[in-house]
Amino acid sequence: MTIRVQLTHARDALAALAAAVTTAKGGHPLTPVTVMVPTNAAGVMARRALGRAGGVAAIGMVTPYRLAELLAGPGLHDAGRRPVSTPALDLAIKRVLTDDPGAFGDVAQHASTVAALRDLHRELRRAGPAALQQLAGASRRGREAARVSAGVTARLAGTWYDEGDLLRGAIDRLVAAPVAGLEQVVVFLPHATAGLELELLRAIGAAGDTTVVLAHTGVAELDLEMLEFAHRLGAAVTGPADSPPRPHRPETYSVTDADDEVRHAVRLAVQHARAGVAFARMAILWPSDRPYARLVEHHLDAAGLPWNGRPGTLATERVVPRFLLDLLDVDRRGLRRSDLFDLLADVPTRGEQGQVVRLATWERIAREAGVNRPGQWAGRLARFAAAERARAERSDDGAASRRWAAAADAADELAAFVAALERDLGDAAAVRTWREWADWSTRQIEWRLGNRLLGRLDEAERLAHEHTTRVLDRLRHLDTVGRPVRRSEFREVFAAEFDVAPGRLGRIGDGITVGSLTGAIGLDSDLVIVLGGVDGLLPPAPDADPLVGDLDRQAAQLPTSRARARRAHRNFLAVLDTATSVVVGVPRGDLRSATERPPSRWLAAHLPDAVEHQINSHHAGLLATEFPAADHEHRLRDRLAAAHRGAGLLSDRCAGDPVAVRALAMRAARRRSILTEFDGDLSSRSIEHFTGPVSPSRLEAWAKCPHGYFMRYLLGVQPIDDRDDELALSPLERGNVVHVTLDRFHREVIVGHLPQPGPGGWGPVHEQHLLAIFDEVADDFERTGRTGRAAHWQLDRRSVRADLVEWFRRDGDTVAARGAEVVSSELRFGRDGSVTLPLPDGRRLAVHGSIDRIDRQADGALVVMDHKSGADSAFGKISAADPTEGATKFQLPTYAAAALAHFGGSDGPLAVHAEYDFFARGGYHRHGYTFDDAVWAQVSADLGHLVAGIEAGLFPATPDAPGWHAYVGCHYCEPDGLGTAERFAEWQLKQADPRLAQQFAGHDAS
């Protein structure tokens, strides 16, 4: 029996394979021949090539490990051993390190240490016992790594088997006796292997006639490596002496960055397909998964082109594994609102009754109920539901009542869901066996995702689901090597299994083959597009072993850090020699890191005569493309081509594209110096603005920012109040604490439970009662999660209490001076249209609201008060001469009108004084004025000015000037909270519109 090595050129490798198979058959087509291939993909391509060459009868294609599995697997199974899984291997490594961490010390249990030892152990097992001994004698670091590997092997022996056991078993079987079917073997394009793989090839050669087909590269270093491999096999080498010219002239294209490089690659694929090249005869290869794997997947899918190979989307990003990983980790900080809704937002999850959860409704309710952290769900949702049902029962508005009742029911649903989820999750510190955790995970997937979702998964999602099931099946067997674990430990091992998850989608021959250049051995394609032709990517960076250096690896005959680069180099040369057409992309820069990149040194060395194409920009590449790859590229290329010809106005050239026409109209309108429909002019639309009573805050919203008014009151869009972001008591809740406390206190005075203030104002009994009410209100706000973090709340509570006491004492002095008594607190008015304000044209505008407090003085005059818990800096200009501060504030006039409507009688008009009273420390002031005919006339004129602007349909954005602000002034002008520079520049431009000059004279853009 002999081993013959046939050295051939890469372009002739398939022909050499066919010739070797024909020779092995000896003129008998049905003589069995085994062809050993480096990868399954190479085997499929070789089989198809043999079919095109004349037939594949009685030919078996196997990889070395598949052959070893066929030879040794049954015996290992009969011995009661199972194939080792990544979790079993990791657990064995951890146990060895726990018993004796050695030089690994404090990092012994770190995930990266375990992963590095796992990878090295697998290499050593494939290399054989001699490699383990050589590594142990190479250095102290090598000795420690070898010790761990030997310990892992000892722990797993007898129960598990790995690739090393398979290879050793196959070799022993071949040495013991001939194996049927291996009399004639052809080894096609093997890697330059060593260790047990090399021994397996020797054993095969000793058992039958074996021909090894090796590819000649023309690069001395690479060819010497192959010749050394043949020498280790003990075979004579025959092959060509000269390298024939390539069948094509390679091309390169230089583009701006990787994104545009992939776009151009897809266009080239379409271009060649239109020329008659089948997609199945094309390949797109890259030297690095990042960023190319994801980009290629995205752009091929966008173009609707079929493909097979390595996807850019990770298996853990698919629905089922992503859901399980998130579920296992959802309460890592306790079950917080943000973490729960991150989980529910990711996939359509079912509730306790089998229905898909109402995510948006539940999330809004959890916010309003003040749920932020664990321990708050049941109590706060129950209080929220009770409050909403009470509102529904008190309300005379049927629609509102139904809304509140529905919100209460949804809160109960959410509380039940959370309670069931917490029961399922159990104590995070609880331990279960691996089988129990795997069964629990299976139940959660089936129940919470449901058969309806799982049955509609596409191919990629289905494969991820199937892989999840296989991983859970493997984890069930870890009880033999591992102790019971916590949920977090189970999740860590489950995630580690997905690090080595199969990443291939589609079938070879079904569409364009995509994948890594290092895995492209045996590729048979007419068009090959190689991406990333720049230094740093081609050749790829060395893979440095964090445990042992290259000298140690050489001593153990393990691949060094340059092995990956050599394999990519060999495959790159094979691609150049075999494909009918080769195109290499060269991205000039990396926009992700803002760096420039020089072309790969391999291009100058191996493509000196390449046809070079320079693509200056994305637009230039699109213009030069004969046939774009996607619909949006067709549209954009047509627009660019028309613009390049310069024919007519741009809008005319886009007449057939309504999307482009509207986009161009919007862009042009926003650049004009007048208000347009795209930036706030709705004068051409018929809008009924005042179909019912309006609040003063709504009127003031238009005065502050018409765009914000439009968004909130006409479109119903409101900023999200995320209480989880509040570290301290917010200004809004500070005001609410004050208002609720004073309202409860004043009501007790009004009904007679407390006496009215006397000549000395409020007495000690009043203050004592006020503080008791404050404590109750503060406790209630704390329970409902409206007070921020506990540490801040302790300070804020004392601050609010001090402000309230100081204001109360000063208010007592004021009441005593006026001889006043409290007659109303939180008076709600106007929903029935009974309160109106006059307009200059004779109409009356119905208003509604709530007055914080109304006093009656000794002379019968009414005093209307609006409590303000903040500073008075924004209200200092208000006076009888300017009662609305330039038509921007209408609370006091509205409240004055309501007080007159409520307390007026037949004895003649009452005098009304309205004022703001402020609680801020150091600023206990009252600003107000008394209403007379002149004040009412000014209010009417100011209100008419504001109503005219609203009814005119003018809603421009009027942002604050750019600069640092402690808070966001208008969430509609600055939705991202990152500044107003762009929006402010637009507002400056629009103020040239004379209509805005009339309505917004007070908005100074300078």
Side-chain angles (χ1 to χ4, degrees), residues 253-531:
Y253 63 95
S254 174
V255 295
T256 55
D257 65 307
D259 298 73
D260 207 37
E261 180 188 13
V262 176
R263 292 189 195 99
H264 192 70
V266 176
R267 294 176 200 144
L268 286 174
V270 172
Q271 176 183 327
H272 282 76
R274 285 166 53 82
V277 180
F279 286 128
R281 300 291 300 166
M282 300 181 193
I284 299 177
L285 308 177
W286 54 76
S288 171
D289 286 347
R290 297 183 65 182
Y292 289 108
R294 195 178 294 270
L295 287 175
V296 170
E297 177 185 2
H298 169 77
H299 286 290
L300 286 175
D301 287 343
L305 301 186
W307 60 274
N308 70 86
R310 177 71 175 272
T313 303
L314 301 177
T316 49
E317 296 175 318
R318 304 293 182 183
V319 169
V320 175
R322 185 175 75 239
F323 165 75
L324 184 55
L325 286 169
D326 289 347
L327 179 64
L328 290 167
D329 199 34
V330 69
D331 61 344
R332 62 190 180 279
R333 302 178 298 171
L335 192 59
R336 294 171 176 254
R337 187 194 75 222
S338 57
D339 293 333
L340 174 64
F341 286 104
D342 283 346
L343 168 68
L344 299 182
D346 221 16
V347 293
T349 310
R350 298 198 307 172
E352 294 309 299
Q353 304 302 320
Q355 79 284 7
V356 176
V357 301
R358 297 188 288 168
L359 176 63
T361 300
W362 283 8
E363 205 271 348
R364 175 181 55 79
I365 285 172
R367 287 178 186 275
E368 293 181 3
V371 176
N372 291 318
R373 294 180 291 279
Q376 299 176 345
W377 292 95
R380 294 187 178 182
L381 287 173
R383 284 192 289 272
F384 175 84
E388 293 298 283
R389 289 194 174 95
R391 292 175 68 187
E393 292 173 0
R394 292 194 304 266
S395 176
D396 296 329
D397 186 337
S401 178
R402 287 190 293 273
R403 283 198 310 273
W404 292 327
D409 293 340
D412 291 339
E413 290 177 7
L414 175 57
F417 177 86
V418 171
L421 179 61
E422 289 179 329
R423 285 195 302 271
D424 282 351
L425 292 172
D427 184 358
V431 297
R432 299 181 185 179
T433 65
W434 291 94
R435 177 173 291 278
E436 288 173 337
W437 279 123
D439 292 340
W440 181 90
S441 299
T442 301
R443 288 195 304 271
Q444 293 299 318
I445 291 171
E446 293 175 350
W447 168 243
R448 298 198 179 276
L449 298 185
N451 293 329
R452 183 177 180 183
L453 171 65
L454 297 177
R456 292 186 286 110
L457 298 176
D458 60 23
E459 180 190 9
E461 297 290 353
R462 178 180 55 79
L463 291 175
H465 180 203
E466 292 174 355
H467 185 69
T468 301
T469 302
R470 289 193 295 270
V471 169
L472 293 176
D473 287 341
R474 289 198 292 269
L475 296 184
R476 286 184 173 90
H477 299 294
L478 294 185
D479 289 317
T480 59
V481 294
R483 55 174 175 75
V485 292
R486 295 189 300 271
R487 179 157 35 93
S488 60
E489 296 173 290
F490 178 83
R491 181 189 184 278
E492 179 183 347
V493 174
F494 176 81
E497 271 286 77
F498 274 87
D499 290 342
V500 292
R504 187 173 188 86
L505 287 180
R507 296 174 180 270
I508 298 173
D510 181 12
I512 303 170
T513 298
V514 304
S516 171
L517 187 61
T518 56
I521 188 170
L523 184 69
D524 180 27
S525 297
D526 293 333
L527 169 67
V528 177
I529 302 172
V530 180
L531 305 173

Side-chain angles (χ1 to χ4, degrees), residues 706-910:
H707 172 66
Y709 175 95
F710 170 75
M711 296 293 291
R712 178 164 189 168
Y713 294 105
L714 298 188
L715 297 186
V717 177
Q718 297 192 30
I720 294 176
D721 177 20
D722 192 352
R723 293 174 180 167
D724 195 34
D725 290 337
E726 297 288 352
L727 295 177
L729 183 69
S730 69
L732 174 64
E733 297 299 355
R734 188 184 188 95
N736 288 337
V737 171
V738 169
H739 279 73
V740 172
T741 301
L742 290 179
D743 177 46
R744 289 177 55 180
F745 172 79
H746 291 145
R747 288 181 184 276
E748 296 206 13
V749 172
I750 293 169
V751 300
H753 293 163
L754 289 172
Q756 290 282 351
W762 301 111
V765 65
H766 295 101
E767 183 172 331
Q768 181 180 3
H769 205 77
L770 175 73
L771 294 179
I773 293 174
F774 169 78
D775 288 336
E776 293 176 3
V777 171
D779 290 342
D780 185 61
F781 270 64
E782 183 178 354
R783 284 192 297 271
T784 54
R786 301 159 66 183
T787 55
R789 302 294 174 87
H792 288 276
W793 170 232
Q794 297 304 315
L795 300 175
D796 289 336
R797 180 168 179 157
R798 290 197 293 268
S799 172
V800 176
R801 188 179 191 274
D803 288 349
L804 185 64
V805 169
E806 181 65 22
W807 175 89
F808 186 69
R809 292 170 180 171
R810 298 198 180 201
D811 181 66
D813 296 338
T814 302
V815 171
R818 291 172 173 173
E821 63 178 9
V822 181
V823 297
S824 177
S825 177
E826 294 294 338
L827 174 65
R828 290 172 173 79
F829 63 88
R831 287 290 184 182
D832 57 356
S834 59
V835 179
T836 61
L837 291 176
L839 295 173
D841 59 6
R843 293 182 296 163
R844 301 192 69 88
L845 180 67
V847 291
H848 73 87
S850 176
I851 306 174
D852 291 341
R853 186 173 115 186
I854 303 176
D855 290 358
R856 190 192 301 275
Q857 295 185 158
D859 60 2
L862 299 176
V863 178
V864 175
M865 280 184 255
D866 186 46
H867 304 317
K868 298 294 183 185
S869 57
D872 64 345
S873 57
F875 296 83
K877 298 179 182 179
I878 199 165
S879 65
D882 187 6
T884 66
E885 284 200 48
T888 62
K889 296 181 174 63
F890 288 90
Q891 283 183 303
L892 296 187
T894 300
Y895 297 163
L900 289 173
H902 190 78
F903 290 99
S906 58
D907 297 336
L910 291 173

